[in-house]
Amino acid sequence: MSKRLLVVTLVLALLIPLLAVSAQDQPVVTVTWWATERGRDTAATRDMHFTLARTFEESHPNIRVALSMYPSRAFATRVLTAIAAGEGPDVFYHYFSPDIALQGFLEDLTPYIEASGAAANWFPSGVNRGVYDGHTYAVPRDAVSGFIAYNKDLFDAAGLPYPEDGWTIADYRALANQLTDRDNDTYGVGAIVGGEGCMLWSPFSFNLGGELTSPDGRDVVGYMDSPETVAAMTWCLELVTEDQVTAPVELQDQFGELVFLSGKVAMQSISDWELAAISEQATFNWGVVAPPRFNEESEVIPWTDSYMYYLWNGSDHKEAAWELINWLTGPEAQRIAAEAGVWSPNGPAIWEELGWDEDPIRGVSYNQLVNSERVPNYLRSQYFWDCVAGPLSDVRVRWIEGGERDVATMMAEGAAQAQACLDDNYGE
Amino acid sequence: MLANRIARPESGALGSAPLGKNRVWHNVFGYGALLIVAAALMLPLYWMVSTAVKSPAQMFEIPPAWIPNPVDFSSFPKVFQEVPFGRFLVNTIIIVALNIVGHLVSVTLIAYGFARLRFPGRSVLFLIMLSTLMIPYHVTLVPRFILFSKLGWINTYLPLTVPAFTGSAFLIFLVRQYMMSIPFDLDEAAYIDGASRFGVFWRIILPLSRPALMLVIVFTFVGTWNDFLQPLIYLNDPNMFTVSLGLSFFQGARETNWNLLMAGSLLATIPPLILFFIAQRQLIGGISIEGLKG
């Protein structure tokens, strides 16, 4: 017995250094990771990305990360040019639609995800966001939801109670009217709501009951011109011209934090992405509340979104690239990003660990995220912005500037135009 | 000499004579209209300056605050803290300088060939060169990227500078037209005196082409200084980025840091402005000559 033990010990003693040597001899591979700046806290964002890369390298000594950061403005051009030339990044994140997989340069991540079981850690809508045609081509970098920020000072001055969870779009409209005082340049509603933005980028797009495209993003006829969507769009446009409760259009920026920060807007549809700017720069008291539901009988439908990580299928180091993606979407990297204030975590565990689920501001978003599985249909099509957004915007222009009021006809014309463009792009 | 031959007006003929009523109104309306147009053109510049020196709270005011109060200069140092803006400036100056040298060397030599030398196929070659102006840049984007990638030039300044040494169709056309307007008698006189073709180019044509060369410098400077796409495509290392690329760091998909963007943009306009003030006499002269003789 003791002889056997001695032999085993000797063999192990010989093997362990050999294994260690062979591990050291594994070639070091370099994975390229391309990321974008976010427009604010530029240095902090850049430092956080490099912290992520270096932290990953410490725990993965055989993988080196070559990180490049670009302006988000032209990131797609940079990535697509490099991919077309066969020099694409192994890993990149962006705001692509999942059906960009049709173009054939995204790696199908389904087997990697199934093997790792990582999806169980992410918010369900983030998982669904990367699925196209039953396959997962992208995984969530972060997670945000849409909610309503409100100016407490304006509510107090008007003697109105703050909005609470469970309110309806009728309550929202009534409050917007009560809080508007155009003589003093004070408005009930800010950017996004009151135009085509009402149907995009905000929880109103769901809670008004309309849809712009089919679930696969390829059809607009029957969706954009449906009676429900026509009614929803009419509701949005009436806020501008009939109720006149929206801030002047020239003061509206796309995502709304600027006009809300003026202190002259009572309610503004925002998401976690705008929270940092509002937290730092608001000169008034403010709060947030879940979006209004359609009516007393309906449930509120959360609107969520996220940036996604992609793996280029031309990568020479797919396993190493997946290692990086898996780590970046895992708890350690998510905690680093959240603590740096750069983006909010892609799964509930870190939110809870940081106490955000109990936070009066973040908690509202957390409740939306854990209760949402739905991905906005309009985010399903890579051609949405080229084909559908324009005709939808035309409806607003015709209503506001042209004085036309037949929304059903305008939406039907827009849908036909958008459908022709989609069919052309999808080769149908 | 010419000035001496022009009869001077009698003293007071223009200066002291009372202006007619029509002329006064003509001047009032003329200068008034010019002032309005100038103000309209200056408005974006004014907005850029005022936003750069506004506090964040002022930036969001409704109605918009036209005059910053208080004036806040903190955005300017922040530009340098948030991004290596000084490095971006140096990088851009290096690229601009190399492009100017490259264009001056290549464009003048090629233009000289097309303007002054006679050789078979000259017109066809010139037409082929001109036709390249009609190819949209984006069509050649990927092939150029592949070419430079195969040469191992990605993430270097070579793709941003070496092409300048092979000419620019537009600038060649511009300089060639100017050189064609110089009398051939000068060349012939120089040849009789024993000058070589390069000697004629170097001693006769080039010095007489100064206004056109100034245009080459200004167009190259402005084009390279503002170029966003090429540095974006060919550079990976942020420390090698240029000003136009670096400024875009303040403009995110979701958020834009307007104070820093405007402060950075203001800083970025200073070098082209300096160049314009230095070169404006030559530049205006060059443009007017091109307009007359082109």
Side-chain angles (χ1 to χ4, degrees):
Chain A
M1 195 65 184
S2 60
K3 257 189 178 179
R4 276 188 187 171
L5 190 64
L6 186 65
V7 170
V8 169
T9 309
L10 280 171
V11 169
L12 281 175
L14 286 169
L15 276 176
I16 286 168
L18 277 175
L19 286 170
V21 168
S22 72
Q24 280 178 351
D25 285 349
Q26 275 182 14
V28 175
V29 296
T30 299
V31 173
T32 50
W33 173 28
W34 288 5
T36 60
E37 286 285 359
R38 59 178 184 147
R40 59 173 291 109
D41 300 333
T42 312
T45 303
R46 190 172 55 246
D47 291 347
M48 190 279 296
H49 277 81
F50 280 97
T51 301
L52 287 177
R54 300 295 87 88
T55 310
F56 172 79
E57 286 173 342
E58 282 171 17
S59 57
H60 299 76
N62 294 318
I63 304 174
R64 217 186 127 259
V65 179
L67 168 66
S68 293
M69 296 197 66
Y70 299 94
S72 63
R73 179 181 144 199
F75 187 64
T77 307
R78 180 69 178 95
V79 172
L80 294 176
T81 307
I83 285 175
E87 298 280 341
D90 299 307
V91 175
F92 60 100
Y93 66 69
H94 200 43
Y95 197 70
F96 285 145
S97 160
D99 80 345
I100 204 163
L102 281 169
Q103 295 189 12
F105 59 76
L106 295 181
E107 180 75 4
D108 181 359
L109 299 176
T110 313
Y112 298 96
I113 294 167
E114 285 176 356
S116 71
N121 300 324
W122 305 328
F123 289 117
S125 57
V127 177
N128 296 338
R129 175 92 170 78
V131 176
Y132 176 71
D133 208 16
H135 298 265
T136 301
Y137 291 95
V139 291
R141 184 200 72 169
D142 58 351
V144 302
S145 78
F147 40 88
I148 308 297
Y150 59 92
N151 183 324
K152 287 183 175 178
D153 293 352
L154 292 180
F155 273 81
D156 292 343
L160 294 167
Y162 304 143
E164 292 179 355
D165 285 4
W167 61 326
T168 65
I169 60 166
D171 299 331
Y172 175 88
R173 189 169 185 169
L175 280 171
N177 276 285
Q178 289 170 292
L179 288 156
T180 298
D181 179 2
R182 282 186 297 282
D183 294 337
N184 289 313
D185 286 317
T186 304
Y187 303 92
V189 177
I192 295 182
V193 181
E196 73 274 18
C198 188
M199 302 299 296
L200 310 166
W201 307 118
S202 84
F204 288 94
S205 56
F206 290 166
N207 289 293
L208 289 170
E211 265 295 3
L212 293 167
T213 76
S214 58
D216 64 2
R218 290 186 174 215
D219 293 306
V220 282
V221 172
Y223 294 90
M224 183 175 161
D225 53 354
S226 72
E228 294 81 11
T229 310
V230 169
M233 189 67 178
T234 307
W235 183 89
C236 298
L237 293 167
E238 281 177 351
L239 291 174
V240 185
T241 52
E242 266 59 17
D243 296 8
Q244 298 184 27
V245 295
T246 56
V249 70
E250 62 271 18
L251 297 176
Q252 298 197 9
D253 58 301
Q254 191 178 4
F255 300 109
E257 79 271 19
L258 295 187
V259 72
F260 184 65
L261 283 169
S262 70
K264 298 293 186 77
V265 164
M267 295 181 289
Q268 173 64 50
S269 174
I270 64 162
S271 73
D272 298 78
W273 279 316
E274 287 80 57
L275 273 184
I278 294 173
S279 301
E280 286 172 19
Q281 294 171 355
T283 53
F284 50 86
N285 295 303
W286 59 283
V288 301
V289 62
R293 52 191 171 144
F294 187 65
N295 58 33
E296 296 287 351
E297 284 74 45
S298 53
E299 294 289 320
V300 65
I301 307 169
W303 177 94
T304 63
D305 206 352
S306 57
Y307 274 70
M308 307 296 282
Y309 283 110
Y310 298 84
L311 200 164
W312 177 43
N313 63 8
S315 165
D316 292 329
H317 315 291
K318 287 180 186 170
E319 290 297 330
W322 168 252
E323 280 291 307
L324 175 61
I325 291 177
N326 196 29
W327 184 84
L328 288 169
T329 54
E332 189 176 2
Q334 292 292 310
R335 192 179 301 110
I336 290 170
E339 285 174 347
V342 176
W343 60 66
S344 46
N346 62 0
I350 304 296
W351 285 68
E352 290 158 10
E353 185 184 312
L354 296 170
W356 288 7
D357 55 329
E358 304 288 338
D359 183 84
I361 304 291
R362 293 283 191 181
V364 171
S365 182
Y366 173 85
N367 290 332
Q368 304 286 305
L369 284 162
V370 291
N371 290 315
S372 169
E373 294 194 358
R374 188 167 166 182
V375 178
N377 286 355
Y378 67 87
L379 295 177
R380 291 285 189 194
S381 169
Q382 59 181 307
Y383 302 114
F384 180 87
W385 304 106
D386 292 334
C387 292
V388 190
L392 188 64
S393 179
D394 289 344
V395 175
R396 173 184 58 83
V397 173
R398 289 170 69 181
W399 171 285
I400 294 172
E401 293 176 17
E404 296 183 55
R405 289 295 180 267
D406 186 353
V407 179
T409 301
M410 289 191 284
M411 291 292 265
E413 288 170 4
Q417 186 187 344
Q419 190 66 60
C421 176
L422 285 177
D423 291 348
D424 191 35
N425 278 292
Y426 284 114
E428 290 173 352
Chain B
M1 292 296 285
L2 181 68
N4 291 340
R5 289 203 296 269
I6 296 173
R8 286 173 181 275
E10 290 296 317
S11 176
L14 284 177
S16 61
L19 294 172
K21 224 177 185 180
N22 284 346
R23 177 135 192 185
V24 171
W25 282 114
H26 183 267
N27 282 349
V28 167
F29 282 118
Y31 285 114
L34 283 174
L35 275 174
I36 291 167
V37 172
L41 291 174
M42 292 293 285
L43 200 60
L45 188 66
Y46 174 75
W47 193 250
M48 180 171 74
V49 175
S50 74
T51 306
V53 296
K54 274 179 193 168
S55 64
Q58 275 188 297
M59 210 168 56
F60 310 125
E61 277 181 11
I62 296 178
W66 284 95
I67 299 168
N69 184 23
V71 175
D72 180 359
F73 289 103
S74 63
S75 295
F76 292 94
K78 272 188 199 159
V79 169
F80 289 87
Q81 289 159 11
E82 287 290 314
V83 296
F85 198 74
R87 190 188 286 255
F88 293 161
L89 280 170
V90 171
N91 296 342
T92 313
I93 288 167
I94 291 169
I95 295 168
V96 165
L98 287 170
N99 271 274
I100 288 174
V101 171
H103 274 158
L104 283 177
V105 170
S106 61
V107 166
T108 50
L109 280 170
I110 299 167
Y112 174 68
F114 281 127
R116 314 298 286 192
L117 306 183
R118 300 189 189 285
F119 54 89
R122 184 178 72 156
S123 301
V124 175
L125 275 178
F126 187 65
L127 274 177
I128 291 171
M129 187 205 72
L130 277 188
S131 66
T132 61
L133 283 173
M134 287 183 279
I135 303 172
Y137 181 79
H138 292 80
V139 172
T140 60
L141 194 64
V142 172
R144 280 166 69 104
F145 187 93
I146 293 171
L147 174 70
F148 293 135
S149 173
K150 299 284 180 206
L151 290 169
W153 287 7
I154 301 301
N155 204 30
T156 72
Y157 289 145
L158 294 174
L160 305 177
T161 52
V162 171
F165 288 84
T166 62
S168 149
F170 172 69
L171 295 176
I172 291 167
F173 171 73
L174 202 72
V175 176
R176 181 248 193 193
Q177 296 305 101
Y178 189 87
M179 286 180 173
M180 283 180 74
S181 68
I182 300 170
F184 273 85
D185 300 349
L186 298 173
D187 303 42
E188 285 160 12
Y191 286 134
I192 289 167
D193 288 344
S196 65
R197 279 180 179 156
F198 185 76
V200 170
F201 165 74
W202 187 250
R203 294 180 182 181
I204 309 289
I205 303 299
L206 211 53
L208 290 174
S209 302
R210 268 183 63 187
L213 301 187
M214 193 53 75
L215 274 184
V216 170
I217 290 172
V218 171
F219 283 165
T220 305
F221 186 100
V222 174
T224 313
W225 189 267
N226 291 331
D227 188 12
F228 177 80
L229 189 61
Q230 291 200 87
L232 171 80
I233 297 298
Y234 298 123
L235 299 177
N236 295 341
D237 181 357
N239 287 323
M240 295 176 70
F241 282 4
T242 58
V243 167
S244 63
L245 204 51
L247 280 178
S248 294
F249 277 147
F250 299 127
Q251 202 174 9
R254 296 281 173 176
E255 297 167 278
T256 298
N257 199 327
W258 291 106
N259 291 88
L260 300 195
L261 183 63
M262 293 301 164
S265 300
L266 190 60
L267 292 171
T269 56
I270 292 171
L273 273 180
I274 291 171
L275 177 79
F276 178 78
F277 285 122
I278 291 171
Q280 62 175 326
R281 269 187 65 189
Q282 296 278 5
L283 184 62
I284 302 293
I287 290 170
S288 61
I289 286 163
E290 281 306 311
L292 285 170
K293 296 184 177 176

